[in-house]
Structures are given as structure tokens and as C-alpha cells.
Amino acid sequence: MSVVTVRLFALLLAVLAVALAPYATAEDVTQPMPLPRAKPQGDVARPLPARPRTKPTPDPGVSVQPSGTAKPTGPEPIPMPTAAQIEAGMLPCGEACAEILFKTIDGCLWVQSQNPRPIYFQATVDGRLVVLSLEGASYQKSAAAPAEGASAFHARQKDPFQSSSAGIPVYRVRLGEKGNCVTDRRQITQFVAIFRK
């Protein structure tokens, strides 16, 4: 080895020693490394072995519906306002009432919603209960023209704020049959509307 190589090597070691000095102190070198913590001995709760799950036995007084049978798809009854609430001026309507509009088409009153969520609608009309199931308004379904004499259909309503738009999708259901439909909004004493789950 030449003298120049030895001096360069010594210089390199000196530079490394100065560079690494902040990271290692004599105290760190003399400190023993901590050993892993020993597990406690004695009465320690150990997990129990897994047991096979058992099916609960049905109560003989409760009828259990088999899973293969479908639930009824018709509208569910909604609690209507009581006479006391009506006399007090309270008409609890339901979470979907703000979505309900009434529109007169061809002399019949139609229930209309532009919300994409389906709605159960229930009304007292001339003293009788009328229950309707409104589909969610769909832009795709509203492109087709309604069938002749349909009692419910998807449509598009003109948007007053955007003249160039194709319209707002709505879903309409006629209140009653064509020859015996509700003709005036005043025939509805009260109504309730909730979103279908």
C-alpha cells in the first residue's frame, strides 16, 4: 500500500467518526439492550376453546315464517293523525310529505313525486282510506310516453329555471279510477307519506 492510500483511508475514518459522533455516545454503547418482557405466571385467564354454535329453539307460542316465503309487497299501513291531533291543529304527515304534489290532469287529481326514492302515500278521501305506492322518479323511465289510460306513469315536467333542459323526472299516480276519480284537492281531508325502505 502506498503512503497516499493509507493517509486517504485514515482521513476517511476520521471523517466518518466525526459524522457519526452525534448518533452514538458512550452511554448508549454501555447500556444493555432491554430483554423481552416475561409473560406473567399464575392464574391468567386463557381463551376458552371454540364451541360449535347451536341454533336457538323457537318458542312454541311464536310462529316463525320460513325464509323462502316472500314478504308482502303492498303498501304498509301508516298511522294517520288522530282526531285529537286534528282538533289541536296538528297534522303529522311523515318524512316524505314535502315531496308530494297534487296535479289535475284530464279532470282527475294525480299524486306526484319527483324524488328518486319510492314513497308510500295514504290519504283520507271523502271519508274513505286510499293507499298508494309511488315509484321513485326515474329519468330513464320518463323518456317513454305513458300507455293510453295508465293510472300511473313516469313523466318529465318542464324545468322553469332551465329552458334548454329535457325536464324534471316525476312519477304520477291517479287518485281513483278514470271514471270515478278524485277531482278536487279539497276532497282529501288528510294524508301521510313516508319513504319506502
Side-chain angles (χ1 to χ4, degrees):
M1 277 178 116
S2 69
V3 178
V4 176
T5 308
V6 173
R7 287 184 180 172
L8 282 175
F9 187 68
L11 182 63
L12 181 63
L13 286 176
V15 169
L16 280 172
V18 171
L20 296 175
Y23 299 106
T25 63
E27 185 180 307
D28 293 335
V29 174
T30 57
Q31 283 285 342
M33 289 190 65
L35 296 174
R37 290 176 58 189
K39 292 183 179 175
Q41 301 294 327
D43 297 335
V44 178
R46 292 183 182 163
L48 296 174
R51 294 183 181 174
R53 298 174 97 187
T54 57
K55 293 183 180 177
T57 55
D59 186 0
V62 177
S63 63
V64 178
Q65 183 179 12
S67 59
T69 58
K71 292 182 179 178
T73 57
E76 299 172 356
I78 308 167
M80 294 294 277
T82 62
Q85 289 173 320
I86 295 168
E87 287 176 11
M90 296 165 48
L91 289 175
C93 188
E95 59 186 357
C97 277
E99 305 298 331
I100 298 295
L101 295 174
F102 297 97
K103 191 169 182 68
T104 304
I105 303 172
D106 296 332
C108 287
L109 192 67
W110 293 70
V111 180
Q112 173 179 299
S113 166
Q114 64 186 31
N115 196 297
R117 294 174 64 187
I119 294 173
Y120 282 134
F121 174 85
Q122 192 172 282
T124 305
V125 182
D126 294 331
R128 63 189 167 88
L129 189 66
V130 176
V131 180
L132 301 174
S133 181
L134 280 74
E135 289 182 23
S138 167
Y139 190 80
Q140 288 78 17
K141 292 180 181 178
S142 64
E148 184 68 31
S151 60
F153 61 91
H154 291 271
R156 290 188 188 170
Q157 183 172 287
K158 187 170 178 64
D159 188 347
F161 301 106
Q162 291 186 349
S163 58
S164 62
S165 112
I168 302 167
V170 296
Y171 185 74
R172 294 178 179 146
V173 181
R174 185 175 53 229
L175 269 170
E177 297 301 317
K178 191 169 186 178
N180 188 27
C181 62
V182 177
T183 56
D184 193 344
R185 169 67 178 85
R186 288 173 290 188
Q187 290 177 257
I188 300 174
T189 316
Q190 59 200 26
F191 70 91
V192 177
I194 60 169
F195 290 112
R196 275 168 32 198
K197 303 293 183 236

